[in-house]
């Protein structure tokens, strides 16, 4: 298969398969969303009438020279990665989001958010952690460098906004297709110390080498799920230099938070080395993950 990491560094040509003629208006809405958010994606649309069973999906992704998006018979958009359909599927997070609190979510213990907090999730991915952060009432700006992932997030936000139970939470999310370093640099250059957009927490969950989620000796640690497997086709783990830049510029952003203490929270597999080799102020961990907090 073509190396998607290379394909996705420039404008992306992407194949959009849809399964029913009546979906023409959904395809148009997708095109409009891409234009509105200036996503560098070129959609090549194709109506497929054959049955897309698991075997066929596997074949399609094996011969693909460009990423494949699928609009299924239920109008759900997913990305066909190694034969598996992956999508944010925020509805599956409902129970976790409803019961999310500092007792049940280590991330919330680490982030210490209140309903008026401003958060940047600088590595949004499928947006699952953003939902946990936003469950507190906080406003969450979601940065995602990969246009394809940003598109999946925007589509999911629109879809979930039509569900009454989710509308308020959806209105607290803002998805931006950008590299976090570019966003932080702009923030640090243009905004003064007492600006209204002061950021309380920046959350970083950068990629981690695929084979390093579990302890090699004991086998303990997180199993890599299908969402994370798919992301490994799109995004590289950062180099040490990139880790240092990310952590430093995130710390610079939260340090502009007036009198309040800002914090950068970093998610790592439990046994992973520290981001940028930097000692955190405090850490929280369970048997799978660790959150390192850098207080500024
Ligand atoms: C490990 S995943 C994050 C998963 C996410 N926490 C979730 O709950 O789904 C990392 C994501 O961050 C994105 N990413 C990595 N470095 C980035 C950067 N410098 N700026 C913006 N996005 C970045 C990757 O494209 C990938 O989608």
């Amino acid at each position: 298969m073509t190396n998607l990491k290379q394909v996705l560094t420039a404008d992306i040509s992407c194949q959009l398969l849809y399964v029913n003629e009546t979906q023409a208006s959904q395809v148009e809405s997708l095109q409009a969303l891409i234009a509105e958010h200036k996503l560098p994606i070129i959609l090549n649309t194709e109506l497929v009438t054959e049955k897309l069973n698991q075997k066929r999906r596997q074949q399609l992704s094996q011969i693909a020279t460009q990423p494949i998006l699928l609009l299924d018979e239920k109008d759900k958009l997913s990305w066909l990665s190694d034969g598996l359909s992956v999508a944010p599927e925020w509805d599956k997070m409902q129970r976790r989001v409803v019961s999310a609190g500092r007792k049940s979510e280590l991330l919330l213990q680490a982030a210490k958010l209140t309903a008026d907090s401003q958060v940047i999730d600088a590595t949004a991915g499928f947006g699952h952690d953003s939902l946990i952060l936003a469950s507190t009432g906080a406003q969450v700006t979601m940065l995602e460098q990969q246009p394809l992932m940003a598109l999946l997030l925007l589509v999911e936000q629109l879809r979930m906004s039509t569900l009454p139970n989710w509308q308020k939470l959806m209105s607290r999310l803002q998805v931006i297709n950008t590299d976090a370093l570019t966003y932080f640099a702009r923030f640090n250059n243009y905004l003064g110390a007492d600006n209204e957009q002061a950021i309380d927490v920046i959350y970083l969950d950068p990629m981690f080498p695929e084979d390093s989620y579990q302890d090699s000796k004991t086998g303990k640690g997180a199993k890599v799920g299908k969402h994370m497997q798919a992301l490994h086709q799109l995004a590289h783990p950062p180099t040490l230099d990139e880790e240092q830049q990310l952590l430093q510029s995130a710390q610079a952003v939260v340090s502009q938070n007036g009198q309040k203490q800002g914090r950068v929270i970093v998610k790592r597999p439990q046994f992973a080395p520290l981001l940028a080799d930097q000692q955190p102020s405090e850490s929280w961990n369970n048997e799978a993950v660790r959150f390192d907090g850098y207080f500024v």
Side-chain angles (χ1 to χ4, degrees):
M1 193 170 57
T2 315
N3 184 347
L4 289 180
K5 287 175 196 167
Q6 277 165 18
V7 173
L8 294 176
T9 51
D11 264 20
I12 308 162
S13 256
C14 196
Q15 203 177 5
L16 172 69
L17 307 180
Y18 61 106
V19 294
N20 196 320
E21 274 172 11
T22 59
Q23 290 174 321
S25 65
Q26 273 97 316
V27 174
E28 260 177 44
S29 310
L30 265 182
Q31 302 273 25
L33 199 64
I34 289 170
E36 183 191 339
H37 291 270
K38 300 190 173 60
L39 301 179
I41 297 178
I42 300 157
L43 278 189
N44 304 308
T45 60
E46 191 182 328
L47 174 65
V48 277
T49 46
E50 63 177 319
K51 199 155 172 49
L52 291 179
N53 58 21
Q54 182 53 35
K55 193 171 164 208
R56 186 67 189 124
R57 287 175 191 220
Q58 194 78 45
Q59 282 171 343
L60 282 172
S61 32
Q62 266 162 8
I63 56 170
T65 53
Q66 47 185 249
I68 303 177
L69 291 172
L70 173 66
L71 194 59
D72 71 12
E73 54 290 339
K74 291 184 183 146
D75 293 339
K76 193 173 124 191
L77 184 74
S78 55
W79 165 38
L80 215 57
S81 162
D82 270 346
L84 295 178
S85 299
V86 282
E89 298 183 305
W90 288 352
D91 38 353
K92 293 197 177 154
M93 296 274 296
Q94 173 139 346
R95 277 176 64 178
R96 217 178 125 192
V97 168
V98 168
S99 60
R102 290 189 192 176
K103 273 199 182 142
S104 62
E105 295 291 344
L106 216 51
L107 170 57
L108 297 184
Q109 273 180 45
K112 300 244 178 334
L113 301 176
T114 58
D116 58 6
S117 300
Q118 296 281 343
V119 183
I120 297 177
D121 179 350
T123 52
F126 285 97
H128 297 162
D129 291 329
S130 293
L131 295 188
I132 300 298
L133 293 164
S135 71
T136 58
Q139 304 286 328
V140 181
T141 303
M142 303 165 66
L143 311 182
E144 174 50 53
Q145 66 184 359
Q146 290 296 343
L148 191 67
M149 291 303 301
L151 177 63
L152 288 173
L153 290 172
L154 286 162
V155 169
E156 189 70 348
Q157 187 185 16
L158 276 183
R159 181 176 81 94
M160 298 298 284
S161 299
T162 62
L163 308 178
N165 287 347
W166 285 85
Q167 269 163 4
K168 277 200 182 140
L169 192 145
M170 288 301 117
S171 68
R172 296 198 291 274
L173 303 178
Q174 188 192 10
V175 178
I176 306 178
N177 173 217
T178 180
D179 168 48
L181 280 178
T182 312
Y183 188 87
F184 292 160
R186 230 177 272 147
F187 196 100
N188 288 326
N189 286 339
Y190 295 127
L191 298 174
D194 52 2
N195 68 78
E196 284 175 12
Q197 278 175 289
I199 302 299
D200 301 292
V201 173
I202 291 182
Y203 177 57
L204 301 173
D205 177 15
M207 301 301 293
F208 201 78
E210 202 167 358
D211 54 2
S212 324
Y213 289 83
Q214 288 175 297
D215 184 286
S216 54
K217 289 192 192 112
T218 63
K220 283 187 182 162
K223 296 220 165 29
V224 182
K226 79 167 179 178
H227 285 101
M228 203 47 69
Q229 269 176 35
L231 276 179
H232 276 281
Q233 290 198 27
L234 288 183
H236 292 284
T239 61
L240 181 63
D241 190 42
E242 286 164 345
E243 288 188 354
Q244 280 162 350
Q245 286 183 49
L246 203 56
L247 188 55
Q248 268 172 20
S249 51
Q251 286 174 310
V253 171
V254 292
S255 73
Q256 298 188 25
N257 197 3
Q259 302 302 317
K260 286 199 275 176
Q261 187 189 54
R263 47 179 73 191
V264 177
I265 303 295
V266 179
K267 184 181 186 179
R268 311 293 279 161
Q270 194 206 339
F271 302 105
L274 297 167
L275 187 77
D277 273 339
Q278 289 296 310
Q279 205 60 42
S281 318
E282 194 172 341
S283 287
W284 297 259
N285 78 279
N286 59 27
E287 60 288 346
V289 290
R290 192 180 80 230
F291 293 99
D292 294 333
Y294 299 81
F295 307 157
V296 184

